[in-house]
Amino acid sequence: MNNKEKLRNAGLRPTKQRMIVADILLNGFNRHFTAENLQDEINSSGNSMSIATVYNCLKKFKNCGLIKQVETSKDTAIFDTNTDYHHHFLNEETGELIDIENEEISLHKIPEIPQGYLNNGIEVIIKLKRHN
Amino acid sequence: MNNKEKLRNAGLRPTKQRMIVADILLNGFNRHFTAENLQDEINSSGNSMSIATVYNCLKKFKNCGLIKQVETSKDTAIFDTNTDYHHHFLNEETGELIDIENEEISLHKIPEIPQGYLNNGIEVIIKLKRHN
DNA sequence: AAGTAGTTTAGAACGGTTTTAAAGTAAAAA
DNA sequence: TTTTTACTTTAAAACCGTTCTAAACTACTT
């Protein structure tokens, strides 16, 4: 399926800007990135885009499930093109994230979900510290 | 051990402001809170404190291990007086956190830690969605 | 009591993100 | 087609949580 179809299937109009973003993000290679990272990449690809559009686009992509946002307490939002159920190593000093495939972790026991709620996904973060 | 001793043991001068914060936070009842929550609570206890001091104080408390900061992608930093190794339920709509005791989760298998790094703690987040 | 190192403060600055409102564009209707 | 309509993009301003600045203050040491 090409990117235009991916956008349409997700219910998004395939505008010029969204196609530029899709071409960068939805190429089969997974990555973690910030809004600023993405804008830089757009610029160095010879295109340009308002930062507001970058954010709008990321929000739409996220709501459609085309990308994910990672849970970290960093001050900048980090996005992930890997939308599969998976986990992360987090280098707390640098903020760097490394994917952990779902199969590499097994949760043996989980607590009862509170009344009135559903389990909407589990994220495991293994914090890393440089070894000296 | 009283709060003055706790601060001294942590290597912090027990200033008037830090004692006010310690009296609120280190009373044996665990809670999650933001800097703003804390300032409100200080105000309604008849005291007052500059927001800069609230942040300074939280940073010092955190660096000394008197409190923790929780990993969430919320735009506001969330702190936790529970410094024991534990996990969280996260209501993504409201940002509300609920503690999960360490014993309530068992991680059966974890991946190999990347070369040059040490495992510096694992955080499990179970995201919740309201059940309709 | 005097000195000094650390702390608090108001207000400014900062940085990531969102809003605004006007111009532009894609899709639907005529 | 052309027109209409709804959606999108944009630069710039606003926003908001957090940090910085530098002057006043305070806890501790001498």
Side-chain angles (χ1 to χ4, degrees), chain B residues 8 13-14 16 35-36 52 55 59 75-77:
Chain B
R8 283 202 200 284
R13 264 193 203 174
K16 178 167 162 277
E36 207 191 341
Y55 278 107
K59 188 179 280 178
D75 47 5
T76 310

Side-chain angles (χ1 to χ4, degrees), chain B residues 18-128:
Chain B
R18 286 179 187 154
M19 286 300 293
I20 291 169
V21 172
D23 287 345
I24 291 175
L25 297 181
L26 312 178
N27 63 6
F29 292 96
N30 284 325
R31 47 136 68 75
H32 303 109
F33 61 97
T34 65
E36 207 191 341
N37 293 158
L38 179 57
Q39 196 185 32
D40 289 349
E41 217 167 327
I42 291 165
N43 288 338
S44 60
S45 78
N47 294 290
S48 79
M49 205 172 299
S50 155
I51 191 65
T53 304
V54 174
Y55 278 107
N56 288 343
C57 193
L58 289 175
K59 188 179 280 178
K60 292 275 186 184
F61 276 38
K62 177 184 162 189
N63 290 343
C64 295
L66 292 171
I67 62 173
K68 267 185 165 182
Q69 187 173 354
V70 185
E71 295 292 334
T72 79
S73 52
K74 298 279 307 172
D75 47 5
T76 310
I78 298 174
F79 298 90
D80 193 342
T81 56
N82 182 352
T83 57
D84 293 346
Y85 186 78
H86 71 289
H87 307 285
H88 291 102
F89 287 114
L90 168 64
N91 180 335
E92 282 187 299
E93 284 149 42
T94 64
E96 186 200 10
L97 289 163
I98 302 169
D99 278 2
I100 300 172
E101 302 298 326
N102 185 35
E103 313 80 63
E104 293 182 80
I105 285 192
S106 86
L107 276 153
H108 200 231
K109 184 173 80 170
I110 67 162
E112 212 180 320
I113 302 301
Q115 267 301 334
Y117 292 93
L118 289 172
N119 177 340
N120 195 35
I122 300 178
E123 286 195 33
V124 179
I125 297 167
I126 302 182
K127 293 181 279 182
L128 300 179

Side-chain angles (χ1 to χ4, degrees), chain A residues 21-83:
Chain A
V21 172
D23 288 344
I24 292 175
L25 298 181
L26 311 180
N27 62 6
F29 293 96
N30 284 325
R31 45 139 65 81
H32 303 109
F33 62 97
T34 65
E36 208 191 341
N37 294 158
L38 179 58
Q39 197 186 30
D40 289 349
E41 218 167 325
I42 290 165
N43 289 337
S44 60
S45 78
N47 294 291
S48 80
M49 204 174 295
S50 155
I51 191 65
T53 305
V54 174
Y55 277 107
N56 286 344
C57 193
L58 289 175
K59 188 177 281 179
K60 291 277 187 183
F61 275 38
K62 178 183 161 190
N63 290 342
C64 295
L66 291 172
I67 61 174
K68 265 186 168 184
Q69 185 171 358
V70 185
E71 293 292 334
T72 78
S73 52
K74 301 278 308 171
D75 46 6
T76 309
I78 298 175
F79 297 91
D80 193 340
T81 56
N82 183 352
T83 57

